Amino acid sequence: MNTILSPVSFAVAPYPISPAQKEHYDTEGYVVLRNLLTREQVDLLREEVMEIMGIIGLEPTKLKQTGQYFHGLALDHFVHSKVMRQIASTLTGGPSTLYLPFTAVKTGGGGGRFHFHQDNQYTRFDGPSVNLWTALSPMTVANGCLQIIPKSHLQGTLDSELSGDGDGHRKVKWEPDDFSQVLMEPGDCVAFTRLTVHGSGPNNTPEHRVAYALQYHRDDVRWLDGETWKLLKEFPRYLDIHGCSEIVPPQGKRDGH
């Protein structure tokens, strides 16, 4: 572990969701929360994410995901922030629980396009869930910002197929030609539903595009385990999401959804 990383004091400031933001989230399937984090907090999180990338390896990729993070450091505080959980609970319409935290790094000079998909096309939920996707670097068209199709969440879970890139990722069975480019500054967060169709463009810049995602589910949501619906709060899909003392290169691949 790099010695420049040490235990820190890190607390997300209260961020009340306004009625207008909640309405936009409900009707459009997403909302951008500006200035959620301070620049100092962004720097701490980005430094830690890139330290983790250095440990597990960062090959040219359209999306490098890992749920590993160190106990006691900035990511630990962020992942378990009461403020982030409150934001999720407000947007989902009830008390919510952390489902999965993960890095979202698109490498510079080679991080390709991520096809349009819904998170629910991976693990199936039967109720509200939200992805709080926070920018730790500028999000521009040039470096592959998120692309979202407004109101797509109103269509329910769509049919999907493998992306064709050989990486196990999925995509919708049609090619969207009308979508919103979500431009963000470091510290901004875009919240979107599990049914919102989204993707990202290629990173054509030399710098890595760095973000961090916190997925939550409302406490009454069930997930489909094979042919059996299970209450997520009682039967979590992932158990190893609570931090660790050592980061290790992953064995195999996790879909991150």
Side-chain angles (χ1 to χ4, degrees):
M1 175 177 170
N2 194 316
T3 56
I4 64 172
L5 297 179
S6 58
V8 296
S9 175
F10 187 105
V12 180
Y15 198 100
I17 300 298
S18 70
Q21 288 173 319
K22 180 63 163 66
E23 181 181 8
H24 193 280
Y25 177 83
D26 289 341
T27 59
E28 302 297 321
Y30 76 102
V31 64
V32 179
L33 310 176
R34 301 291 182 189
N35 301 310
L36 175 70
L37 300 179
T38 68
R39 196 54 188 258
E40 292 74 18
Q41 290 174 325
V42 167
D43 290 344
L44 284 170
L45 293 176
R46 185 176 60 245
E47 178 184 36
E48 188 175 337
V49 167
M50 295 314 297
E51 173 73 8
I52 293 170
M53 294 295 103
I55 295 171
I56 67 174
L58 184 58
E59 72 284 354
T61 178
K62 61 185 179 184
L63 184 65
K64 187 69 172 186
Q65 296 172 294
T66 179
Q68 297 183 80
Y69 57 91
F70 291 110
H71 285 302
L73 301 189
L75 276 174
D76 191 4
H77 293 296
F78 183 55
V79 167
H80 297 288
S81 165
K82 292 181 179 179
V83 171
M84 300 304 289
R85 184 173 180 178
Q86 181 58 53
I87 291 172
S89 297
T90 298
L91 293 175
T92 63
S96 296
T97 296
L98 181 68
Y99 171 62
L100 184 66
F102 59 86
T103 59
V105 179
K106 187 187 291 284
T107 52
R113 174 191 177 212
F114 201 105
H115 295 278
F116 282 99
H117 67 284
Q118 295 171 307
D119 291 344
N120 218 42
Q121 291 170 334
Y122 291 84
T123 304
R124 187 69 59 90
F125 288 9
D126 71 351
S129 172
V130 62
N131 191 333
L132 301 180
W133 198 95
T134 302
L136 302 181
S137 62
M139 298 292 150
T140 67
V141 173
N143 73 4
C145 65
L146 280 188
Q147 301 167 335
I148 283 178
I149 301 179
K151 296 183 170 63
S152 53
H153 66 304
L154 302 176
Q155 302 177 55
T157 303
L158 302 170
D159 290 337
S160 66
E161 61 189 7
L162 290 174
S163 70
D165 291 345
D167 53 15
H169 290 297
R170 305 197 67 80
K171 66 177 181 179
V172 295
K173 289 187 173 182
W174 43 277
E175 189 61 36
D177 57 9
D178 186 18
F179 50 83
S180 296
Q181 305 271 18
V182 185
L183 308 179
M184 295 193 290
E185 293 298 321
D188 292 345
C189 173
V190 58
F192 55 93
T193 83
R194 194 167 179 80
L195 296 175
T196 302
V197 177
H198 62 285
S200 62
N203 186 352
N204 295 317
T205 75
E207 303 296 328
H208 301 316
R209 189 213 70 181
V210 185
Y212 202 85
L214 297 176
Q215 294 186 347
Y216 296 83
H217 61 85
R218 203 169 67 187
D219 286 353
D220 59 350
V221 166
R222 299 179 302 166
W223 68 286
L224 187 59
D225 183 9
E227 297 182 354
T228 304
W229 287 99
K230 296 181 177 180
L231 188 66
L232 257 175
K233 190 172 174 63
E234 294 184 1
F235 301 95
R237 173 78 165 84
Y238 299 111
L239 298 175
D240 55 343
I241 62 170
H242 303 292
C244 52
S245 58
E246 181 182 8
I247 304 295
V248 297
Q251 301 296 315
K253 186 179 184 303
R254 172 181 290 181
D255 61 43
H257 294 83

